[in-house]
Amino acid sequence: MDQILQYIRGHRRQHLAQLFDLLRIPSVSTLPERAEDVKRCAQFLADDLQAMGMRNVNVMSTNGHPAVYAEWLEAPDAPTILIYGHYDVQPPDPLDLWESPPFDPQIRDGEIYARGSADDKGQAFAYFKAIEAYLSKKGSLPVNVKLLIEGEEEIGSAHTHKFVYDHLTLLQADAILLSDNSMFARGIPAICCGTRGLVACQIELESAARDLHSGAFGGVAENPIQVLADILSALKDDDERITIPGFYDDVLELSAEERQYFAGLPFDGEALQQEIGVRGFVGEKGFTPVEREWARPALDINGILGGFTGPGAKTIIPAKAMAKITMRLVSKQNPDKILQAAKDYISSLAPESVKLSFSGDAGGTAYLTPLDHPVLKHVAKAVRQSYGREPLFTRTGGSIGILSTFSDALRIPIAMVGLSYPDDNIHAPNEHLAEEAYYSGIETAARLFNELKNWDPGAAS
Amino acid sequence: MDQILQYIRGHRRQHLAQLFDLLRIPSVSTLPERAEDVKRCAQFLADDLQAMGMRNVNVMSTNGHPAVYAEWLEAPDAPTILIYGHYDVQPPDPLDLWESPPFDPQIRDGEIYARGSADDKGQAFAYFKAIEAYLSKKGSLPVNVKLLIEGEEEIGSAHTHKFVYDHLTLLQADAILLSDNSMFARGIPAICCGTRGLVACQIELESAARDLHSGAFGGVAENPIQVLADILSALKDDDERITIPGFYDDVLELSAEERQYFAGLPFDGEALQQEIGVRGFVGEKGFTPVEREWARPALDINGILGGFTGPGAKTIIPAKAMAKITMRLVSKQNPDKILQAAKDYISSLAPESVKLSFSGDAGGTAYLTPLDHPVLKHVAKAVRQSYGREPLFTRTGGSIGILSTFSDALRIPIAMVGLSYPDDNIHAPNEHLAEEAYYSGIETAARLFNELKNWDPGAAS
């Protein structure tokens, strides 16, 4: 390990220069005019992997932007780790808020400013450089490695879901490791072990052929906004529990150990409330905010529209009203089942006076690597060695579609090891990654490879 | 009376030509570029009144478009009737749906097609021609007449409310008579004795400094759309009664006679449902649709908006949500009191997690001329004589702001005698007034003057 770290520390200048080259490519996946840049970026990564001696390096076609694949599978007794990341980036707008051009990386106060520095080029590339260190110094890796760096994460991994199902054998591994998130705080490493799943739906109500005059029909004709309000209000009870029948049936309850662990995390609720400008937290009775965000399902109305919404008054009973809803699911809720249950319940709430149109999308399952899963011990040990302190085991309340797909398709544990710092401005102007976070990220990746060779995926947990 | 009717029937050609001249003036009050036409229209009417021998004819300034006033007060023992109407019209758009130009009146199949033919030039002008008949044939009118024809009805009588309060003495009378509505059906005359009042308000909720990610904050941060739905849903109970405390306190309950009378009206609910495309009527338990429209207060959400309403899904918890509400009031609800009660109740429903902004406008009181008011007997007699059948006594669920003002300011009975037919397309392309309705309207106006001389406003009812 020492000579690996020595190599990494001795090559900081080169590794930084290579990252800068990577960051200069404006691989914005959502902009059609950047398609060639996206392709160029994939090729840049493939060339680097080829040069360091990875096998089966391939810029693989999808129905969208290509995915970069590479492997090294010559450690027969060691586990196989699938490294996931993405090389596409968010659009840089608004440009005028950037202090230096988004695709001209610059270092100020020890921070690398560039679009994609933290999300996710800098973090994904850290694994490249760790692999390079091993292959260069030892000619081998401690574990088998498969590497999949996609080009569509910022557009919902549009074609990557199908790609995964189309390449199940190629991608089969014992665990997935990724770094597309941040540490808990500067100096406090974290391993994220779970995301929530997602179901989206839209309710449209229609009660008349046209908007009606509220004078002639107020008290006579149905008001679809009123019906919509009644339905939405009925979706939660006084304890803020979701009332859809069967909604909680498959929810994996938190263990006493997990609740105790979450309660001990240095979560600063008041600072967060101040930052987002809310007057306290609300939610399901009987659970803490952290528990509710990470381990309890939620239902949110994302948007609502009906009738006249301009300045002044317009005395109408609108003909239509609609609302958009998303539900965050936890292990082991089934998105299709929840979507159907929501549809059934909402249909039962709609009176005959309205025509209900319900559409929905079972976006993805939650994924959860249990706190006591053996792989986490090894991941944690490597992280502890790298940062000199015990990592926190966290989850995120958000949903990462492609992780749901990995979880469903490959059925292997997933661990997210945040390498950047929480104030990295991802998706915003002046995105940055601390130079130090990049270097320590490379070391962390190397330590992860080194430590995971001791994991026996076949052993009983 | 006979020679009056003879005069009217003998002057149909002239009266039609004069109406055509009136209809040719595009007096669209809402269009600034039509201000000169509006003024020209007022002068046209004043000239006509002057020519027929009315006294004190005056194009009176308001802070907006002028009002035309005239009087004839030389019947010392007879009551004084204030005739109200308006000479401004709605914009004619969409122009391409008109079969003949909106300001080039044409007769097809016995119908006068022109903007303003029914609303309200044709109906108001009928009173002019009846006055002309009397003054021309007899040199006098059977009753004292004051006439106020305003130029801002189609823009909410913007400056007319203040005008009324500024001219209380000038406008003082024993009753108000107007024709700005239609008959119950072709051949079925109606006297409209009541409108509903109006209160408008807007609720705005704010729960955070910015939209929040529903992954990070779903189940943790308040959702203002959810709160809004809860509030709106709580505004009515299962019997569709409005739950604002004290809301019904001042409601004048229908008498058994009124309910019986309404029940006997030839109201074709099914035809109406089909026309507006609703699946039946809904509303306050214990009342018929006619009762609910005419004599019960109503609360309607006119519009609602919050969060993301475009195509697809956006996983946010919005920072804000808002709804617009109007309430239709009945006699003797007080708009200011109701507005305050609504504000108090809604404030009590808003949890501490949201900042509530409530704004409102106590638009106007309901007006109601009781069915047993003596003036109605005389109005009904004149109408019966004119159309050969008993008129129906109706109300409207709508609100006519200026009538609320008349009612509040002058405290005298109001009767609306519809002269046009219900299919007259007011506010729409191809507005029309039956030639026959215009002629019989003039006769009806003359008969009203003739009959109202027998009314003694001072007698006990």
Side-chain angles (χ1 to χ4, degrees):
Chain A
M1 193 69 223
D2 280 354
Q3 52 181 317
I4 299 299
L5 295 177
Q6 206 176 344
Y7 175 93
I8 291 171
R9 287 168 193 169
H11 285 75
R12 288 188 169 182
R13 201 138 48 94
Q14 294 93 317
H15 290 169
L16 187 66
Q18 289 175 315
L19 176 60
F20 271 37
D21 286 342
L22 176 59
L23 293 173
R24 285 193 187 98
I25 306 172
S27 50
V28 182
S29 51
T30 198
L31 300 177
E33 64 268 30
R34 290 298 186 198
E36 280 306 308
D37 292 311
V38 174
K39 200 180 284 182
R40 186 156 59 90
C41 193
Q43 195 56 54
F44 175 96
L45 295 176
D47 291 346
D48 191 54
L49 293 164
Q50 195 77 51
M52 72 179 73
M54 283 292 276
R55 319 288 198 238
N56 196 16
V57 177
N58 207 339
V59 174
M60 297 181 79
S61 298
T62 70
N63 283 324
H65 299 302
V68 178
Y69 177 82
E71 63 187 25
W72 193 93
L73 303 174
E74 293 156 36
D77 296 329
T80 300
I81 308 299
L82 175 60
I83 307 292
Y84 165 82
H86 66 92
Y87 67 85
D88 64 321
V89 298
Q90 281 277 319
D93 317 76
L95 278 173
D96 55 332
L97 295 185
W98 285 80
E99 289 177 25
S100 53
F103 298 109
D104 176 13
Q106 297 186 9
I107 294 181
R108 291 192 297 280
D109 296 330
E111 302 283 336
I112 305 163
Y113 283 87
R115 170 58 84 227
S117 53
D119 181 17
D120 177 47
K121 285 175 173 173
Q123 298 198 66
F125 205 55
Y127 288 87
F128 282 52
K129 298 299 104 181
I131 293 170
E132 176 196 301
Y134 266 106
L135 294 180
S136 165
K137 291 306 289 183
K138 304 217 162 184
S140 69
L141 282 160
V143 289
N144 298 296
V145 167
K146 294 180 175 182
L147 197 141
L148 181 71
I149 311 295
E150 70 153 311
E152 298 199 314
E153 198 273 346
E154 300 294 2
I155 50 173
S157 300
H159 303 90
T160 314
H161 302 280
K162 181 172 184 303
F163 180 89
V164 170
Y165 279 100
D166 286 348
H167 297 87
L168 289 178
T169 308
L170 184 74
L171 299 174
Q172 195 52 62
D174 296 305
I176 294 171
L177 208 56
L178 68 147
S179 296
D180 192 15
N181 55 324
S182 68
M183 301 171 77
F184 192 87
R186 259 175 208 253
I188 307 182
I191 300 166
C192 180
C193 309
T195 64
R196 290 196 286 189
L198 188 67
V199 164
C201 65
Q202 182 161 332
I203 307 173
E204 291 178 56
L205 300 179
E206 187 173 350
S207 60
R210 55 179 165 85
D211 291 351
L212 301 175
H213 190 275
S214 74
F217 294 101
V220 180
E222 186 61 274
N223 185 318
I225 301 180
Q226 184 73 57
V227 174
L228 187 58
D230 292 345
I231 290 175
L232 296 175
S233 185
L235 295 179
K236 293 190 187 172
D237 67 15
D238 289 345
D239 291 339
E240 297 262 339
R241 276 177 69 88
I242 295 150
T243 52
I244 296 168
F247 187 82
Y248 292 94
D249 283 0
D250 300 326
V251 167
L252 187 69
E253 295 295 334
L254 282 164
S255 67
E257 291 72 26
E258 285 168 321
R259 300 191 75 166
Q260 195 177 358
Y261 182 78
F262 288 169
L265 291 175
F267 172 74
D268 188 346
E270 277 187 31
L272 186 57
Q273 286 172 23
Q274 211 149 37
E275 191 226 317
I276 62 173
V278 300
R279 312 175 170 200
F281 292 134
V282 299
E284 189 188 2
K285 197 175 168 181
F287 296 91
T288 67
V290 170
E291 290 169 349
R292 296 199 304 267
E293 185 201 338
W294 290 353
R296 300 298 299 175
L299 180 152
D300 263 295
I301 310 161
N302 312 116
I304 192 165
L305 180 64
F308 176 73
T309 58
K314 191 173 178 189
T315 51
I316 56 163
I317 299 173
K320 296 177 185 180
M322 77 93 186
K324 288 167 184 282
I325 293 173
T326 47
M327 286 168 268
R328 299 285 172 171
L329 309 186
V330 297
S331 223
K332 314 178 161 186
Q333 287 179 297
N334 178 302
D336 292 305
K337 196 171 150 186
I338 293 296
L339 183 60
Q340 186 62 46
K343 182 177 181 177
D344 291 346
Y345 184 52
I346 288 167
S347 300
S348 79
L349 293 174
E352 285 194 8
S353 50
V354 296
K355 194 182 123 219
L356 166 72
S357 302
F358 181 98
S359 57
D361 180 21
T365 51
Y367 99 75
L368 180 63
T369 303
L371 276 188
D372 57 3
H373 194 289
V375 74
L376 291 182
K377 289 196 193 80
H378 297 280
V379 171
K381 186 172 174 191
V383 170
R384 184 173 61 242
Q385 287 168 344
S386 188
Y387 296 100
R389 71 171 283 172
E390 202 66 42
L392 304 180
F393 293 97
T394 64
R395 301 187 193 177
T396 169
S399 308
I400 304 178
I402 193 64
L403 297 194
S404 302
T405 296
F406 281 140
S407 178
D408 289 347
L410 303 175
R411 304 191 170 278
I412 52 177
I414 302 174
M416 291 177 78
V417 180
L419 302 179
S420 76
Y421 301 145
D423 63 348
D424 51 14
N425 284 352
I426 64 163
H427 293 213
N430 303 310
E431 176 179 351
H432 56 90
L433 175 71
E435 207 183 335
E436 179 53 38
Y438 175 52
Y439 300 140
S440 60
I442 300 171
E443 293 186 21
T444 304
R447 287 185 190 275
L448 283 162
F449 294 140
N450 184 54
E451 176 55 33
L452 282 166
K453 73 170 187 289
N454 301 320
W455 172 43
D456 177 4
S461 64
Chain B
M1 193 71 224
D2 279 354
Q3 51 181 318
I4 299 299
L5 295 177
Q6 206 175 345
Y7 175 94
I8 291 171
R9 287 168 193 169
H11 285 74
R12 287 187 169 183
R13 201 138 49 95
Q14 293 92 318
H15 289 170
L16 186 66
Q18 289 175 315
L19 176 60
F20 271 38
D21 286 342
L22 176 59
L23 293 172
R24 285 193 187 99
I25 306 173
S27 50
V28 182
S29 51
T30 198
L31 300 177
E33 64 268 31
R34 290 297 187 198
E36 280 306 308
D37 292 311
V38 173
K39 200 180 285 181
R40 186 156 58 91
C41 193
Q43 195 56 54
F44 175 96
L45 295 175
D47 291 347
D48 191 55
L49 292 164
Q50 195 77 50
M52 71 180 72
M54 284 291 276
R55 319 290 197 236
N56 196 16
V57 177
N58 207 339
V59 174
M60 296 181 79
S61 298
T62 70
N63 283 324
H65 299 302
V68 178
Y69 177 83
E71 63 186 26
W72 193 93
L73 303 174
E74 293 156 36
D77 296 329
T80 300
I81 308 299
L82 174 61
I83 307 291
Y84 165 81
H86 66 92
Y87 67 85
D88 64 321
V89 298
Q90 281 277 319
D93 316 78
L95 277 173
D96 55 333
L97 294 185
W98 284 80
E99 289 177 25
S100 54
F103 298 109
D104 176 13
Q106 297 186 10
I107 294 180
R108 290 192 298 279
D109 296 331
E111 302 284 336
I112 305 163
Y113 283 87
R115 170 58 84 229
S117 53
D119 181 17
D120 177 47
K121 285 175 173 174
Q123 298 198 64
F125 205 55
Y127 289 87
F128 282 52
K129 298 299 103 181
I131 293 170
E132 176 196 302
Y134 266 106
L135 293 180
S136 166
K137 290 306 288 183
K138 304 217 162 185
S140 69
L141 281 160
V143 288
N144 299 296
V145 168
K146 294 179 176 184
L147 197 142
L148 181 71
I149 312 295
E150 70 153 312
E152 298 199 314
E153 197 273 346
E154 300 294 1
I155 50 172
S157 301
H159 303 90
T160 314
H161 303 280
K162 182 171 184 302
F163 179 89
V164 170
Y165 279 100
D166 286 348
H167 297 87
L168 288 178
T169 308
L170 183 74
L171 299 174
Q172 195 52 63
D174 296 306
I176 294 171
L177 208 56
L178 68 148
S179 296
D180 192 15
N181 55 324
S182 68
M183 301 172 78
F184 192 86
R186 260 175 208 254
I188 308 183
I191 300 166
C192 179
C193 308
T195 64
R196 289 196 286 188
L198 188 67
V199 164
C201 66
Q202 182 161 333
I203 307 172
E204 292 178 56
L205 300 180
E206 187 172 351
S207 60
R210 55 179 165 85
D211 291 352
L212 301 175
H213 190 274
S214 74
F217 294 101
V220 180
E222 186 61 275
N223 186 318
I225 301 180
Q226 184 73 56
V227 174
L228 187 57
D230 292 345
I231 290 175
L232 296 175
S233 185
L235 295 179
K236 293 189 187 172
D237 67 15
D238 289 345
D239 292 338
E240 297 262 339
R241 277 176 69 88
I242 295 150
T243 52
I244 297 168
F247 188 82
Y248 292 94
D249 283 0
D250 300 327
V251 167
L252 187 69
E253 296 294 334
L254 282 165
S255 67
E257 291 72 28
E258 285 168 321
R259 300 191 74 167
Q260 194 178 357
Y261 182 79
F262 288 170
L265 290 175
F267 172 74
D268 188 346
E270 276 186 32
L272 186 57
Q273 285 173 23
Q274 211 150 37
E275 191 225 317
I276 61 173
V278 300
R279 313 175 169 200
F281 292 134
V282 299
E284 189 187 3
K285 197 175 168 181
F287 295 91
T288 68
V290 170
E291 290 169 349
R292 296 199 304 268
E293 185 201 338
W294 290 353
R296 300 298 299 175
L299 180 152
D300 263 295
I301 310 161
N302 313 116
I304 192 165
L305 180 65
F308 176 73
T309 58
K314 191 173 177 189
T315 51
I316 56 162
I317 300 173
K320 296 176 185 180
M322 76 93 186
K324 288 168 184 282
I325 293 173
T326 48
M327 286 167 267
R328 299 285 173 171
L329 308 186
V330 298
S331 222
K332 314 180 159 183
Q333 288 179 297
N334 178 302
D336 292 305
K337 196 172 151 187
I338 292 295
L339 183 60
Q340 186 62 46
K343 182 177 181 177
D344 291 346
Y345 183 52
I346 287 167
S347 301
S348 78
L349 293 174
E352 285 194 8
S353 50
V354 295
K355 194 182 123 219
L356 166 72
S357 302
F358 181 98
S359 57
D361 180 21
T365 51
Y367 99 76
L368 179 64
T369 303
L371 276 188
D372 57 2
H373 194 289
V375 72
L376 292 183
K377 289 197 192 82
H378 296 280
V379 171
K381 187 173 173 190
V383 170
R384 184 174 61 241
Q385 287 168 343
S386 188
Y387 296 100
R389 71 171 281 173
E390 202 66 41
L392 304 180
F393 293 96
T394 65
R395 301 187 193 177
T396 169
S399 308
I400 304 178
I402 194 63
L403 297 193
S404 302
T405 296
F406 281 140
S407 178
D408 289 347
L410 303 175
R411 305 191 170 279
I412 52 176
I414 302 174
M416 290 177 78
V417 180
L419 302 179
S420 76
Y421 301 145
D423 63 348
D424 52 14
N425 284 352
I426 64 163
H427 293 214
N430 304 310
E431 176 179 351
H432 57 89
L433 175 71
E435 207 183 334
E436 179 53 38
Y438 175 52
Y439 300 140
S440 59
I442 300 171
E443 293 186 21
T444 304
R447 287 184 190 275
L448 283 163
F449 294 140
N450 185 54
E451 176 56 33
L452 282 166
K453 74 171 186 288
N454 301 321
W455 172 43
D456 177 4
S461 64

